[in-house]
Amino acid sequence: MAYKYGVGISHLEFWVKDLEESLAFYSKLFPMIGWYALNRTSFSCGVHEIYFKQMPVQLHDSLGVRHICFHAESREVVNRVGEWLQSINADIIRGPQAMPQYTPEYYTVDFRDPNGFVLEVAYAPDIEL
């Protein structure tokens, strides 16, 4: 399915426990995968926006989004993210690795951000957007 302007997700708001820690993490991750800063707390890929707010609430396990997957433009991007995650001792769930059970070209790294949110950066040229 091709992208149609005017439909889809407008933005995502992340509530975080420590704004500075989260901004330090995402300000390194996002440029690697083609996102850019709109301002100090907001980032975009040119279509979607993610912004961060520090909130004085307790983390609770609940039903909700399992993870967010960001598209990478190449396997090299996935590898670069994986190397960076290793260099900061991030909680890497899997990868970088091929996942041929998804599609023949699927290549991914899954990890947790400083708040425990599960993220994925995947190269999947054989999936039509």
Side-chain angles (χ1 to χ4, degrees):
M1 173 183 251
Y3 175 77
K4 179 180 175 186
Y5 183 79
V7 299
I9 294 172
S10 168
H11 68 270
L12 300 171
E13 177 181 290
F14 281 31
W15 285 11
V16 298
K17 62 184 175 192
D18 182 326
L19 183 61
E20 296 309 317
E21 180 183 43
S22 292
L23 293 177
F25 181 85
Y26 284 96
S27 68
K28 299 286 187 191
L29 171 65
F30 282 156
M32 282 189 268
I33 61 172
W35 286 62
Y36 56 90
L38 294 172
N39 57 47
R40 195 172 97 70
T41 60
S42 301
F43 300 85
S44 179
C45 64
V47 178
H48 308 291
E49 294 178 19
I50 293 177
Y51 56 94
F52 298 87
K53 289 186 177 183
Q54 184 167 313
M55 299 301 286
V57 296
Q58 294 295 319
L59 180 64
H60 296 281
D61 287 334
S62 64
L63 294 175
V65 176
R66 181 188 163 280
H67 75 281
I68 296 172
C69 180
F70 296 97
H71 290 284
E73 293 183 336
S74 67
R75 288 174 65 108
E76 291 77 21
V77 168
V78 175
N79 286 332
R80 190 168 42 243
V81 170
E83 290 168 5
W84 171 69
L85 292 167
Q86 290 173 354
S87 77
I88 63 168
N89 294 314
D91 181 3
I92 300 173
I93 299 167
R94 67 175 177 191
Q97 69 185 55
M99 299 296 288
Q101 66 271 32
Y102 292 169
T103 69
E105 298 296 319
Y106 204 98
Y107 191 71
T108 186
V109 61
D110 295 58
F111 53 97
R112 293 184 188 278
D113 84 343
N115 297 281
F117 302 143
V118 177
L119 303 174
E120 177 181 9
V121 174
Y123 175 62
D126 45 358
I127 294 178
E128 186 178 326
L129 300 176

